[in-house]
Amino acid sequence: MASKPFTVTRRVVQNTVTRYNYYYHAKLKLEKVLTGINNQRQDNYNVFLPFYPFTVEKLNLDVNELDSVVQKASVAVQIHDPRGRWIDDCYLLVGKAYYYKGDWENAANTFQFINTTFAPKKKSDYNAVVGSSQNDLLSISSKEKEKTWYARQFRHTVARNDAFLWQSRTLIEQNKHDEAQSLLNILETDPYFPRRLDGQLAELQAWKFYKQGMYAETIEPLKLALKKGNSGRDQKARMYYILGQLYVHQNKYDSAMSAFRDVIAIKPDATIDFNARVQIAKANTKVNGGSMEESIAALQSMLRKERFIPFRDAIYYNMAALCANEDPDRAIDYLNKALRVESANMLQKTLTFKGMADIYYARKSYRDAQRYYDSTASIMGPDFHDAELVNARKETLGAVAEKVQIIRDEDSLQHIASLSPAMRDSFLVRQVAAIKAAKNPPPGEGGKKGGGTSVQTPPAFAVTNNYNNPSFGPNNEGGDWYFYNQNNKSTGYSEFRRRWGNRALGDNWRRSQQSGALLAGNNNNNLPGGQTEDSAATGAASIANLPADSINTGLLASQLPDTPKTAGFPRPAGRCLF
């Protein structure tokens, strides 16, 4: 086709068909694939936001649709005159499609092809070296004429200069920061680089620094990108928010508050608008004249506004974050309110659980901290920023909490054993009565029809035994458990004995293990008086399985360390664990 004369008629036909039959539809298809990218990710606004609301490797875009973009744009190149104006734009679409597929090699090769093939050349010299010296400055860009507003809106511009930026973007994605910086430096000083792309150039400079963790260097190019760029409203709001975070990182709270107010002024989506207001409240505690109570009051006022109803859990969480250091109990109260709010935001729930865990961890309440770290780990996503810390503390504190529980349960048992005989006997009498009442509840109360065998810890015992010692039987958990049927239970018990012999019952096996641990000095040694770990666990578990008439004060007293030898045994063993 290039051999045919490129007449005016041919030029008009080729440009029109290429633009509206191929390029236009391929561009629409690419835009359709990219629609909704901003909603694919649930961001954590309490840490540095990602510069873009997506990561190319995790976009999960429709590969078939992107392949269709490549095919449609490639056909336009193959069947139309290569001298047409829209051929370079079709190549640029191909490169973008490869970029969003994460195919860096093909994307880089496509952008490089555009830069070399469509370089400006003299008609008599098609082998000229790409790049020339202009006033001692290296120029690689294609010179564009200054256009009126009408020309900028409706006339074609060469895609080669855009391809330079996309090539830099691809290099940044590949973490080839030195190569990307070299290209960006050349474009920044290029006298022919068009002013219409100055904002995108500054944006790429800011992204490169931001991705490398060079936060102080990110601020100036980011401000320039916001001033000269033409990013959409969502991306501009995100960049203003990041600018505010960078100022907070630099302890420039007045500038940070100004940046967050710029976020609100853009009128972005509700989520980033809400979080910008929260960051203003946090920064207000750091500036002269601001206070924690003033910021908490501002957040409380947001609770009363209808548009912030979807963020009530996040409001309580941030109120807790403001007062966690000065008043941990108040912070825990706010976090409990956040957990009671019905919300589908699992990221916020993860942050709330971790906030509770961190407070208990700082207070050295390791059992409570372990429970909340465990809850955090069960719902956090794979990209949660503190996932490694949460998992490490969950595993470590699990072992610590188990040993702490042993020591506390022993303390509770020894406290009961240290009572005077009259007080201990009186307590055990009340305990036996409470256990029998729980095993034989009045009609219509407690358990399923036909009676239940689980034991509910009575209030009197809960006052003395603060740690809910399971040696006196497990708590009543309720639920539709088929073993509440006595016929099934008897049949199963007989069959079990026939097949496995006379073994200890293992209902509520977790609590049985805990009961055995209470009376165990360590994992290998026997208990004093010839009592083994298995016998201790069997004795504790048997209380839960005995009929009500078989339970008496003597049976409960047998579980207490009532001699000086047994009373003093568990403590040294427990202490040696630490």
Side-chain angles (χ1 to χ4, degrees):
M1 286 192 174
S3 60
K4 296 182 179 180
F6 201 47
T7 62
V8 174
T9 303
R10 181 176 180 80
R11 180 179 303 171
V12 171
V13 172
Q14 290 291 319
N15 288 339
T16 303
V17 174
T18 304
R19 179 179 183 181
Y20 293 108
N21 281 14
Y22 292 90
Y23 171 78
Y24 176 77
H25 291 288
K27 182 181 177 182
L28 282 184
K29 187 176 287 291
L30 181 61
E31 291 175 351
K32 180 180 179 181
V33 173
L34 300 179
T35 299
I37 276 183
N38 289 331
N39 300 323
Q40 290 190 21
R41 182 188 182 99
Q42 192 174 41
D43 289 312
N44 181 2
Y45 289 86
N46 297 289
V47 297
F48 279 121
L49 280 185
F51 199 87
Y52 294 107
F54 59 86
T55 302
V56 171
E57 298 93 329
K58 300 178 181 179
L59 271 177
N60 297 321
L61 298 178
D62 191 337
V63 176
N64 293 329
E65 289 293 323
L66 291 173
D67 288 337
S68 177
V69 173
V70 173
Q71 181 182 12
K72 187 174 287 292
S74 299
V75 169
V77 170
Q78 294 169 6
I79 67 174
H80 293 115
D81 197 307
R83 294 167 292 184
R85 285 186 174 182
W86 296 92
I87 298 299
D88 57 344
D89 296 272
C90 292
Y91 276 118
L92 187 63
L93 280 182
V94 171
K96 289 181 180 180
Y98 281 133
Y99 173 86
Y100 286 113
K101 285 176 63 177
D103 188 348
W104 312 125
E105 183 177 359
N106 281 326
N109 290 339
T110 303
F111 297 135
Q112 182 64 33
F113 175 81
I114 296 172
N115 296 335
T116 55
T117 304
F118 296 94
K121 301 166 187 172
K122 296 180 182 179
K123 293 183 179 181
S124 60
D125 188 5
Y126 286 94
N127 296 318
V129 177
V130 178
S132 60
S133 178
Q134 299 292 331
N135 299 326
D136 297 327
L137 295 175
L138 180 64
S139 175
I140 61 173
S141 303
S142 297
K143 188 175 181 179
E144 295 182 7
K145 295 180 180 179
E146 294 295 331
K147 297 181 178 180
T148 63
W149 178 89
Y150 176 83
R152 288 195 299 270
Q153 298 297 321
F154 299 102
R155 290 188 181 179
H156 177 265
T157 56
V158 295
R160 182 170 176 268
N161 294 322
D162 300 82
F164 281 123
L165 297 180
W166 279 93
Q167 186 174 1
S168 301
R169 191 167 180 168
T170 305
L171 291 171
I172 296 172
E173 286 283 9
Q174 295 175 287
N175 293 321
K176 296 180 179 179
H177 298 296
D178 291 338
E179 296 180 39
Q181 186 62 58
S182 298
L183 180 55
L184 292 174
N185 287 342
I186 294 174
L187 295 176
E188 190 173 10
T189 58
D190 193 327
Y192 289 159
F193 189 74
R195 289 186 298 174
R196 66 180 178 87
L197 297 177
D198 283 345
Q200 296 182 41
L201 177 62
E203 183 178 323
L204 288 176
Q205 287 275 23
W207 180 39
K208 188 190 74 67
F209 288 133
Y210 191 70
K211 191 175 182 181
Q212 292 178 281
M214 302 168 65
Y215 298 129
E217 292 81 357
T218 305
I219 293 177
E220 289 305 319
L222 184 57
K223 290 168 61 178
L224 185 61
L226 287 166
K227 180 180 179 181
K228 294 187 175 182
N230 55 357
S231 302
R233 181 173 60 180
D234 291 336
Q235 180 59 27
K236 184 167 287 190
R238 175 176 289 266
M239 291 195 294
Y240 269 122
Y241 192 94
I242 291 172
L243 181 61
Q245 290 181 312
L246 294 171
Y247 279 131
V248 170
H249 186 262
Q250 299 291 319
N251 295 325
K252 299 178 180 179
Y253 297 104
D254 289 321
S255 299
M257 293 175 68
S258 177
F260 290 128
R261 291 191 182 101
D262 288 333
V263 175
I264 299 172
I266 293 176
K267 300 187 182 301
D269 66 86
T271 302
I272 195 169
D273 177 275
F274 163 74
N275 282 282
R277 297 174 188 274
V278 169
Q279 294 302 323
I280 291 174
K282 288 183 176 181
N284 183 63
T285 63
K286 306 293 184 180
V287 299
N288 293 332
S291 68
M292 180 187 73
E293 293 300 331
E294 182 182 351
S295 296
I296 291 179
L299 293 176
Q300 284 178 329
S301 67
M302 294 170 66
L303 289 171
R304 297 188 291 270
K305 295 181 180 179
E306 184 177 356
R307 59 175 170 155
F308 295 127
I309 288 178
F311 307 105
R312 290 175 64 88
D313 53 342
I315 294 174
Y316 282 124
Y317 169 80
N318 284 285
M319 291 167 66
L322 289 173
C323 64
N325 293 330
E326 290 78 6
D327 193 350
D329 291 327
R330 183 182 181 187
I332 290 174
D333 180 59
Y334 285 140
L335 291 173
N336 282 323
K337 290 180 179 179
L339 291 174
R340 287 194 292 268
V341 174
E342 294 185 6
S343 173
N345 188 342
M346 297 307 295
L347 175 60
Q348 183 56 56
K349 195 172 291 291
T350 300
L351 292 171
T352 304
F353 276 130
K354 184 179 178 296
M356 293 282 276
D358 289 341
I359 292 175
Y360 283 122
Y361 184 83
R363 300 174 74 173
K364 299 183 179 180
S365 181
Y366 296 125
R367 292 177 62 230
D368 293 326
Q370 193 275 336
R371 289 204 307 270
Y372 282 105
Y373 279 127
D374 185 69
S375 299
T376 305
S378 66
I379 63 173
M380 67 182 180
D383 296 330
F384 187 64
H385 68 288
D386 277 338
E388 184 177 351
L389 174 66
V390 169
N391 287 324
R393 287 186 176 178
K394 182 192 74 168
E395 297 300 328
T396 303
L397 294 180
V400 174
E402 180 182 354
K403 308 309 178 185
V404 171
Q405 180 67 40
I406 293 174
I407 295 173
R408 289 182 173 180
D409 287 338
E410 287 296 337
D411 286 344
S412 180
L413 290 175
Q414 291 176 22
H415 172 73
I416 299 171
S418 67
L419 297 174
S420 65
M423 293 181 64
R424 183 171 62 245
D425 291 342
S426 175
F427 171 79
L428 293 178
V429 168
R430 294 195 305 271
Q431 183 68 20
V432 168
I435 292 175
K436 288 183 177 181
K439 281 180 171 287
N440 298 307
E445 295 182 11
K448 302 290 287 185
K449 184 178 180 180
T453 59
S454 59
V455 182
Q456 182 175 8
T457 303
F461 181 67
V463 173
T464 304
N465 182 5
N466 294 327
Y467 308 109
N468 198 19
N469 177 20
S471 295
F472 293 95
N475 292 335
N476 180 16
E477 295 183 352
D480 296 329
W481 194 32
Y482 63 90
F483 272 128
Y484 281 130
N485 187 309
Q486 295 298 321
N487 292 331
N488 289 344
K489 184 177 178 182
S490 297
T491 303
Y493 181 70
S494 300
E495 179 65 12
F496 182 88
R497 292 187 63 184
R498 183 185 68 80
R499 295 185 61 185
W500 303 103
N502 189 17
R503 300 188 177 214
L505 295 178
D507 295 345
N508 265 328
W509 61 271
R510 293 185 184 274
R511 290 201 168 101
S512 297
Q513 288 179 349
Q514 292 174 7
S515 300
L518 290 174
L519 301 174
N522 54 47
N523 292 333
N524 301 313
N525 299 328
N526 290 337
L527 297 175
Q531 186 183 23
T532 64
E533 293 180 359
D534 290 340
S535 65
T538 302
S542 63
I543 296 176
N545 299 304
L546 287 173
D549 294 339
S550 300
I551 298 176
N552 52 51
T553 57
L555 179 62
L556 297 187
S558 66
Q559 303 296 313
L560 295 174
D562 56 352
T563 67
K565 185 175 182 181
T566 57
F569 175 74
R571 287 180 180 274
R575 286 173 182 159
C576 73
L577 298 171
F578 297 93

